Amino acid sequence: MSASVLLVTGGAGFIGTNFVRAAVARGERVVVVDRLNYAAQEGNLAGLGAQVRLVARDLAAPGDDLVRLLVETRPRTIVHTAAETHVDRSIHDPEAFVASNLLGTFRLLEAARAYLAGLGEEERRRFRFLHVSTDEVYGARAPEDPPNREGDPYEPTSPYAATKAGSDHLARAWHKTYGLPVLVTNCTNNYGPYQHPEKFLPLMIYQALRGRPLPVYGDGRQVRDWLYVDDHVRALFRVLEGGTPGGTYHVSAGLGPTNLEVLELLCAILDRLRPRPEGSYRALVRHVADRPAHDRRYALESTRLQHELGWRPEESLAGGLEKTVRWYLSHEEWWCRATGEDFHRWLAAHYDAELVR
Ligand code: DAU
C-alpha cells in the first residue's frame, strides 16, 4: 500500500463504518484497526473489496505491532473513531471506558509519534491525526445558555464523557508537546445506518418493531442536537482537507428537539412505513427511571466549521430519520447479528423485565 492510505480506528463501528464506506466511494484505500467488540461488525465492511484491509486489534493492548503496522501501511492520515461510547454502559462498567478511551488513545498517539519520526519531510508535512470526539465533554447546558464554542471549559458528567474529555486533552497535548499534527472534532448525537441498537433511536425502532414498550428516561424533555451520520462524515473530510493542525472544530446541526419530540417523529414515520394493526406506535411510549446524572441539554455552535471550511448540514431531521428507519427495515440480517447474546444480556441488566420480555 502506498502513502495515500487512510488508517481508521474503530472502522467497523457506527461512525467508523460510515466514514470508511464514504472514503472507499471517494477512491481511498483504508486500513481499519478495530477490536471488533459487541458494537462492531466485520460484516459492516463487506463488499468493499481490496480497498479495505481489516486488522483486528485492541488499541489499549501494548505491543510494537501497532507501530509496525503504521510503518508497513504508511498512512497519510489516522482517523481515530475507536471508543467505548454508550453512556449507560459507562455507568455499569467505567473501567472498560478508561481502558479503551484513555489508554487506547494514548497508545495510538505514541505509535503515531514513533511512525512520524521515521517519515521524510514531505510525508511528515502532509500527515494528519484526526481525533473524533463528542459534545458530551462540555457537560449539560442550561436552557438559557448559548451553545458551546470551541475552547469552552470541559465539564464532563458521565464516565464516558470524562474519558472522552481526557482523550481530547491527550490528543492536544501530543500536538503541543511533540508537534503531532492533531485535529480534534466534537460532534453532537449521530444517527443513521449501522448504529448499535443499544442507542436511543435504533433501540426505539427495535422495540417498536417487536411491539414492546419504548423506554423514555425521566420526563423525556432532554435536548439533543441530532445530526445524520453522513453530515458528520462530510465534516470529517472537510476538517482533514482544510483544518489547521492543533485546531478544534465543532460539528452540529443546530437543532434542539426533546427526546419526546424525536420519538414522536419516529413513531409517525413507523406508522407510515410499517403500520401496526393495534394503532400508532405512540401508544408504546413508557416513562422509566432516569439515567443517573442525565445531562439535560447539549448544544454546540459549528460556525467555525461552517465559515472556515464551508461545511453545512444537508439532511433534515425528518429526512434523516426516514432514511434511518428505511435502512433498519431493510437490514434484518444486520439486526440479527447486532442483537445477539450480549445485547440481550445488556437489556436484561439495564431495563425492567416487562420492557424486554
Ligand atoms: O452527544 C454525543 C453523544 O451522543 C455521543 O458521544 C455518545 O457516544 C452517544 O451515545 C450519545 O450519547 P447520549 O447519551 O445522548 O445517547 P443515547 O442514544 O444513549 O441517548 C440519547 C437520549 O435518549 C439521552 O437523553 C438518553 C435518552 N434515552 C436513551 C436510551 C438508550 C432514553 O430516554 N431511553 C433509552 O433507553
Side-chain angles (χ1 to χ4, degrees):
M1 285 189 170
S2 77
S4 67
V5 162
L6 301 181
L7 187 136
V8 182
T9 71
F14 166 44
I15 292 169
T17 293
N18 282 283
F19 181 86
V20 170
R21 290 191 156 271
V24 167
R26 288 165 166 245
E28 301 280 2
R29 282 180 300 156
V30 184
V31 176
V32 169
V33 181
D34 197 302
R35 80 180 163 113
L36 296 175
N37 76 345
Y38 75 92
Q41 290 191 29
E42 198 171 341
N44 289 354
L45 306 174
L48 297 180
Q51 264 172 270
V52 176
R53 170 177 165 194
L54 172 64
V55 178
R57 191 193 192 283
D58 181 356
L59 291 176
D64 295 339
D65 56 313
L66 203 50
V67 181
R68 282 204 303 276
L69 179 71
L70 292 173
V71 171
E72 179 205 330
T73 56
R74 297 182 83 75
R76 72 167 193 280
T77 297
I78 294 177
V79 181
H80 182 35
T81 76
E84 288 288 339
T85 65
H86 191 34
V87 174
D88 295 318
R89 288 207 194 226
S90 83
I91 296 167
H92 286 256
D93 179 18
E95 191 169 336
F97 288 69
V98 171
S100 181
N101 301 352
L102 288 172
L103 192 56
T105 300
F106 160 73
R107 292 211 197 282
L108 182 68
L109 287 165
E110 280 294 81
R113 185 159 79 95
Y115 163 62
L116 203 66
L119 291 183
E121 204 182 316
E122 180 55 21
E123 278 182 305
R124 206 175 318 130
R125 199 182 54 76
R126 282 177 5 124
F127 180 78
R128 295 289 182 271
F129 184 110
L130 174 58
H131 176 68
V132 179
S133 191
T134 169
D135 58 359
E136 301 208 8
V137 296
Y138 294 108
R141 305 298 284 159
E144 66 281 7
D145 286 343
N148 282 111
R149 308 177 74 144
E150 291 89 349
D152 278 357
Y154 278 16
E155 292 182 52
T157 308
S158 69
Y160 160 67
T163 56
K164 283 300 286 186
S167 71
D168 292 9
H169 291 315
L170 288 174
R172 288 198 190 97
W174 260 242
H175 169 71
K176 288 190 180 133
T177 308
Y178 304 113
L180 197 71
V182 168
L183 299 150
V184 176
T185 54
N186 297 92
C187 190
T188 56
N189 282 63
N190 277 214
Y191 66 100
Y194 301 102
Q195 188 170 32
H196 190 272
E198 66 191 358
K199 298 288 174 76
F200 182 65
L201 283 166
L203 177 70
M204 297 302 149
I205 300 172
Y206 176 83
Q207 292 282 100
L209 294 179
R210 276 147 196 82
R212 290 173 170 182
L214 310 178
V216 171
Y217 295 160
D219 64 4
R221 303 206 182 281
Q222 301 82 8
V223 169
R224 297 290 183 269
D225 183 353
W226 295 94
L227 185 75
Y228 190 61
V229 65
D230 284 358
D231 277 331
H232 186 191
V233 165
R234 283 191 308 99
L236 297 179
F237 280 111
R238 278 294 157 85
V239 171
L240 278 177
E241 286 152 10
T244 308
T248 295
Y249 298 85
H250 285 174
V251 191
S252 68
L255 305 176
T258 64
N259 291 342
L260 280 177
E261 286 165 344
V262 174
L263 197 48
E264 176 82 9
L265 262 174
L266 184 76
C267 288
I269 293 168
L270 282 165
D271 284 340
R272 189 159 38 81
L273 298 182
R274 185 65 69 86
R276 206 174 151 247
E278 300 88 332
S280 173
Y281 288 96
R282 286 187 190 90
L284 297 173
V285 172
R286 292 278 185 294
H287 289 266
V288 301
D290 209 347
R291 170 188 280 173
H294 192 174
D295 284 337
R296 196 73 182 159
R297 169 180 172 242
Y298 298 129
L300 288 188
E301 197 178 89
S302 58
T303 39
R304 179 176 190 192
L305 181 60
Q306 303 204 16
H307 291 163
E308 288 182 23
L309 302 180
W311 173 88
R312 297 269 179 292
E314 287 178 2
E315 194 60 71
S316 68
L317 183 57
L321 282 177
E322 174 146 353
K323 280 188 184 169
T324 304
V325 171
R326 286 187 186 279
W327 187 87
Y328 282 97
L329 289 177
S330 60
H331 285 76
E332 197 68 36
E333 82 297 344
W334 189 89
W335 279 107
C336 292
R337 286 201 301 269
T339 53
E341 211 178 298
D342 174 274
F343 179 67
H344 291 287
R345 217 178 307 122
W346 164 251
L347 290 184
H350 185 63
Y351 294 94
D352 287 345
E354 80 268 16
L355 265 71
V356 294
R357 71 199 175 274

